[in-house]
Amino acid sequence: MEVFKTLIVILLSSVLVNNYVLSRFLGICPFLGVSKKLNQAVGMGVSVTAVMLLATAVTWPIQYFVLDRFGLGYMQTIVFILIIAALVQMVEILLKKFSPSLHKGLGVYLPLITTNCAVLGVAINNITDGFNFVESIVSSLGCGLGFLLAMVLFSGIRSRIDESEVPRPFRGVAITLIAASFISLAFMGFAGIVDKLFA
């Protein structure tokens, strides 16, 4: 029961409290670039979640059974980036084959998952936080779902902004960044709630 409780806390904390986009400000490029349309936002969120899960499933054993065992910890960033790049290529091939419209809609942002600092940050932070393999997978799932949630919420807000009459000085990037900051402030309200629920 204690293990289950720990996994639930890790999952909810990753989605709400430690949201990589809204709290740690990682993965901002696709967050701002692909959140104009809901279907593209969902596609990017699901793709990033899949890459995060796969990256963690591959990087965690490599860290503990290869890099740490042979004293190659200093190679962590390079090795993780190579693994993530290979996984993104695999996801891109699968999307091109099974969902050409989504592949075309994501355009240049799909290869940008390779350099998405949120994916690399999740893989490295799972090691740094001392999570075991199952905890790392749950943390990655939570981080991916948090990214997806942020993308969907921001997509809805941007569609409302497009329908509204925004004062001239705030049009374009300005109103987009202001809206993102308000969402980020709203998510700060979740801090402490998860711990209180499971205390």
Side-chain angles (χ1 to χ4, degrees):
M1 187 64 180
E2 194 65 32
V3 174
F4 182 71
K5 181 178 169 183
T6 302
L7 295 178
I8 293 293
V9 168
I10 290 171
L11 181 68
L12 291 178
S13 295
S14 299
V15 173
L16 300 173
V17 179
N18 299 319
N19 188 296
Y20 268 69
V21 176
L22 301 174
S23 297
R24 297 189 180 195
F25 308 110
L26 297 173
I28 297 293
C29 180
F31 175 69
L32 295 174
V34 192
S35 57
K36 283 189 175 183
K37 296 180 181 175
L38 180 62
N39 61 340
Q40 291 180 0
V42 170
M44 176 59 86
V46 170
S47 299
V48 168
T49 302
V51 171
M52 280 183 183
L53 282 167
L54 290 170
T56 297
V58 175
T59 56
W60 192 94
I62 286 175
Q63 176 69 41
Y64 284 102
F65 298 120
V66 178
L67 299 179
D68 288 350
R69 181 169 291 182
F70 296 106
L72 299 171
Y74 62 91
M75 299 281 291
Q76 181 189 60
T77 304
I78 295 169
V79 171
F80 283 17
I81 288 173
L82 290 173
I83 290 168
I84 291 166
L87 292 172
V88 169
Q89 289 301 311
M90 184 179 75
V91 169
E92 187 172 9
I93 290 167
L94 290 173
L95 278 179
K96 195 171 188 178
K97 180 170 183 164
F98 295 110
S99 182
S101 60
L102 179 58
H103 180 267
K104 186 178 179 181
L106 292 176
V108 71
Y109 294 101
L110 188 58
L112 282 178
I113 297 175
T114 304
T115 56
N116 187 342
C117 51
V119 178
L120 181 62
V122 168
I124 290 175
N125 284 335
N126 285 335
I127 304 294
T128 307
D129 292 341
F131 289 154
N132 62 33
F133 184 74
V134 174
E135 290 170 345
S136 294
I137 294 294
V138 170
S139 172
S140 297
L141 176 63
C143 292
L145 292 175
F147 185 86
L148 175 61
L149 176 64
M151 292 289 288
V152 169
L153 286 174
F154 200 53
S155 173
I157 289 172
R158 286 184 80 170
S159 67
R160 291 294 300 268
I161 288 171
D162 289 343
E163 296 169 3
S164 303
E165 192 171 326
V166 178
R168 187 172 302 216
F170 294 106
R171 288 181 189 160
V173 176
I175 194 66
T176 302
L177 294 176
I178 290 168
S181 66
F182 283 139
I183 296 176
S184 181
L185 284 171
F187 268 70
M188 288 177 69
F190 289 114
I193 290 178
V194 174
D195 292 333
K196 287 178 184 176
L197 284 174
F198 294 96

